[in-house]
Amino acid sequence: MEELILVRYGEVALKGGNRSFFINRLVRNISNALNGIEHRIIKDRGRILVVLPEGSLKLAEAVNRLKKVFGIVSFSRVVKVEKDLHVIKQKALEMVEKQQPDTFKVESRRADKAFPIKSPEICRQVGAYILENSENIRVDVHQPELLINIEIREGAYIFAGQEKGSGGLPTGTGGRGLLLLSGGIDSPVAGWMVAKRGVELEAVHFHSFPFTSERAKQKVIDIAEVLAGYIGGIRLHMVSLTDIQGSINRHCPAEQSTILTRRFMMRIAERIAEETKALALVTGESLGQVASQTLESIYVTDTSVGLPVFRPLLGMDKVEIIDRAREIDTYELSIQPYEDCCTLFLPEHPETRPKLEKILQSESHLEVEPLIRQAVETREILSL
Ligand code: ATP
Ligand code: MG
């Protein structure tokens, strides 16, 4: 028998006229995620059915990949049989015989209204059949050891239990954003959270080669690859800040270097966003976490760009961010100890309450536009 996975998508079903757009995109994303695994996909009345060939050795791998696809609320491995009550009873009994639970319950859903027997009656008849044909088992409607689900759709699907998916909305249904991706713990989580709402991501990373190493670069690539696993690929723009940081160090007060650098990062990101048609920048800032993340610093940073800047971690504590980083498998990569371009040039006493006029005055000593243009033009682009 073929291996079947029944996929449920909650929120996308609510999107009115856009419904088929959302579902088609979800189907495409599932198909991409299963790249290299033989499968076919069937749309069936508010569900998606993923079919793998009989005896497929890739079933566990397919399930793992499905867990990452945004827009999937939950899924179950199912057995499909004829829409014939006797066959359904037989199959349900087999499940009981295999698992030998002390208690059970049958739940049923009749999506195909042409099927003549209503759900409560299906439950009753299948339940009675199981009781008649097995010993030492009883019904427990509150906490059954085995919950048998029967769904009447294109076929009759029988399954026990379900696994949680990532939730959210299918990638690609929410426009495009540009993530400022450092090698730290926070920004990958920020990217994941925005991607979860359907936003397609590109990423930009700033390095200070040769002051930052090849290993530091590889670390960011590794993190971006984990993100790519959730959204079916990502382009990573690698931008050198070496000249800009040199120029800032030569011409501006040391305590302003962090905020000045951040304004350059934002402006460079905005240029790249224009090219890639991204409509928002995304960062991993969380209010008050470090010197550059005070409200004053965020204000001075944001005045350098016109695009909206999303900070999905703004209200989260570090422990919450770390928990999420663990869940999405970026934490272990992020804590590898390779130097970052910001920490490298970190002043001893960074300004925590920068004043915009003073920062603008310092910038007037810099060749802002040529520096930005050079950084954008000499960037390296990787497709992951
Ligand atoms: P993270 O854990 O994401 O590195 P952080 O707590 O270290 O964040 P900052 O160093 O102040 O905080 O950086 C704030 C945000 O600025 C980061 O989350 C990221 O979005 C962006 N950022 C910082 N450094 C870089 C970099 N080298 N390249 C790209 N973006 C960066
Ligand atoms: Mg950092």
Side-chain angles (χ1 to χ4, degrees):
M1 235 191 310
E2 289 176 315
E3 303 287 353
L4 304 179
I5 305 168
L6 187 69
V7 172
R8 301 177 194 82
Y9 45 85
E11 212 168 341
V12 303
L14 304 174
K15 295 276 166 174
N18 281 334
R19 196 163 181 265
S20 64
F21 164 67
F22 277 78
I23 294 167
N24 289 338
R25 186 65 205 224
L26 180 58
V27 167
R28 204 169 105 198
N29 294 351
I30 289 174
S31 188
N32 271 343
L34 298 180
N35 186 20
I37 299 178
E38 190 187 339
H39 72 279
R40 65 199 165 86
I41 295 176
I42 301 167
K43 289 185 255 176
D44 183 354
R45 293 185 177 85
R47 298 278 190 273
I48 290 170
L49 198 67
V50 177
V51 184
L52 271 58
E54 177 166 355
S56 173
L57 299 173
K58 298 282 181 67
L59 184 64
E61 168 77 13
V63 165
N64 273 335
R65 295 203 207 164
L66 285 177
K67 275 185 194 159
K68 292 185 175 177
V69 176
F70 294 123
I72 296 181
V73 172
S74 67
F75 53 87
S76 304
R77 288 189 53 189
V78 301
V79 179
K80 183 180 178 185
V81 297
E82 270 170 71
K83 286 189 270 190
D84 174 308
L85 195 59
H86 186 66
V87 181
I88 294 171
K89 285 176 180 170
Q90 214 49 65
K91 203 75 213 176
L93 181 61
E94 269 175 39
M95 260 168 108
V96 167
E97 283 168 349
K98 204 148 74 186
Q99 300 203 19
Q100 307 251 327
D102 292 329
T103 60
F104 79 105
K105 178 188 179 183
V106 182
E107 279 184 0
S108 154
R109 214 185 148 105
R110 191 178 52 128
D112 173 11
K113 301 294 181 207
F115 189 71
I117 307 164
K118 291 191 175 153
S119 296
E121 186 59 22
I122 297 174
C123 294
R124 212 158 23 240
Q125 291 211 29
V126 174
Y129 187 78
I130 290 171
L131 288 171
E132 275 161 31
N133 291 283
S134 27
E135 279 162 18
N136 301 326
I137 190 167
R138 60 193 166 77
V139 173
D140 181 344
V141 290
H142 301 296
Q143 279 188 314
E145 201 181 314
L146 177 67
L147 176 62
I148 301 170
N149 291 276
I150 299 165
E151 295 202 8
I152 310 293
R153 302 179 166 276
E154 193 227 337
Y157 300 119
I158 306 179
F159 58 94
Q162 58 185 48
E163 284 194 72
K164 253 178 82 144
S166 280
L169 299 168
T171 303
T173 57
R176 195 194 305 272
L178 180 64
L179 170 67
L180 282 79
L181 182 64
S182 70
I185 296 169
D186 304 332
S187 42
V189 175
W192 184 89
M193 285 178 70
V194 171
K196 186 176 181 220
R197 300 311 300 169
V199 175
E200 216 161 0
L201 287 182
E202 302 228 356
V204 56
H205 174 71
F206 299 96
H207 62 82
S208 315
F209 194 76
F211 302 106
T212 53
S213 64
E214 278 296 323
R215 294 301 304 270
K217 177 180 169 183
Q218 188 57 44
K219 171 183 171 181
V220 175
I221 295 173
D222 292 344
I223 292 173
E225 262 170 357
V226 174
L227 284 179
Y230 289 94
I231 58 179
I234 195 166
R235 282 207 310 167
L236 177 59
H237 303 254
M238 295 291 210
V239 176
S240 170
L241 277 186
T242 313
D243 290 348
I244 289 172
Q245 287 177 309
S247 197
I248 290 174
N249 286 344
R250 278 194 301 280
H251 301 290
C252 307
E255 65 274 13
Q256 291 181 354
S257 68
T258 303
I259 186 85
L260 286 164
T261 306
R262 294 197 61 75
R263 283 168 60 88
F264 271 98
M265 285 186 182
M266 293 305 233
R267 282 183 285 214
I268 292 166
E270 188 174 53
R271 296 295 166 88
I272 295 172
E274 270 164 28
E275 271 184 42
T276 60
K277 302 199 164 55
L279 297 179
L281 304 179
V282 182
T283 79
E285 286 156 305
S286 158
L287 207 51
Q289 202 186 77
V290 289
S292 64
Q293 298 176 15
T294 62
L295 207 46
E296 290 88 344
S297 297
I298 288 177
Y299 166 73
V300 174
T301 306
D302 271 15
T303 52
S304 63
V305 289
L307 277 184
V309 181
F310 293 162
R311 299 180 169 88
L313 310 187
L314 199 76
M316 284 169 83
D317 294 341
K318 195 73 186 187
V319 286
E320 295 171 308
I321 298 170
I322 289 174
D323 283 348
R324 183 54 62 81
R326 284 214 170 91
E327 270 170 43
I328 67 172
D329 286 336
T330 54
Y331 182 74
E332 294 299 327
L333 293 170
S334 291
I335 58 173
Q336 291 176 11
Y338 301 115
E339 72 292 348
D340 178 76
C341 67
C342 299
T343 42
L344 214 56
F345 294 94
L346 200 66
E348 230 172 293
H349 301 289
E351 184 77 83
T352 54
R353 304 195 188 290
K355 294 275 174 298
L356 185 57
E357 316 93 81
K358 287 198 180 154
I359 297 299
L360 292 176
Q361 206 189 345
S362 293
E363 275 180 1
S364 71
H365 303 302
L366 302 171
E367 303 266 12
V368 174
E369 183 53 34
L371 282 169
I372 290 176
R373 201 171 324 126
Q374 194 213 354
V376 171
E377 280 167 8
T378 57
R379 76 189 191 271
E380 189 189 350
I381 305 176
L382 309 172
S383 287
L384 305 173

